[in-house]
Amino acid sequence: MEAQKETRVAVMGIIVEDRDSAVPLNQLLHEYGCYIIGRMGIPYREKGVNIVSVAIDAPQDVTAALSGKIGRLPGVSVKTAYSNVVAAAGNAGGAP
């Protein structure tokens, strides 16, 4: 029997400077949607950037993979902060 992976709650801070990366960013977020607790996007028109925060509850390798894919998008930067909250995958809030 395979052991369940533990999940960690994290928040990703994403800055989008290239509007052409908005569609691929949203596709990635949709792809990982089963792990996402919530997200908030703020257009900062005066500076020409968009600020996105994503709360996620996933195994750490899944969160790192998503962060890496986002960080490779042109004109997009991302930082992830992990909480100390750890739970079995089956006990995570909404995660598969």
Side-chain angles (χ1 to χ4, degrees), residues 1 7 12-13 19 23 27-28 31-32 34 41 43 49 52 55 59 61 73 75 78-79 82-83 95:
M1 186 171 192
T7 66
M12 292 182 180
R19 289 180 53 98
V23 170
Q27 288 172 335
L28 282 170
E31 183 180 331
Y32 285 81
C34 61
V49 299
V52 181
D61 60 332
L73 295 173
V78 60
K79 296 292 180 191
Y82 292 91
S83 76

Side-chain angles (χ1 to χ4, degrees), residues 8-16 24-26 28-33 35-42 50-73 76-83:
R8 290 187 69 187
V9 174
V11 65
M12 292 182 180
I14 305 166
I15 305 292
V16 182
L25 172 61
N26 282 318
L28 282 170
L29 295 177
H30 177 75
E31 183 180 331
Y32 285 81
Y35 298 106
I36 294 175
I37 301 164
R39 65 188 240 185
M40 175 179 57
I42 304 168
N50 292 297
I51 303 158
V52 181
S53 63
V54 177
I56 188 168
D57 186 0
Q60 192 165 348
D61 60 332
V62 171
T63 302
L66 175 57
S67 182
K69 291 176 183 180
I70 290 171
R72 284 191 293 276
L73 295 173
V76 178
S77 57
V78 60
K79 296 292 180 191
T80 304
Y82 292 91
S83 76

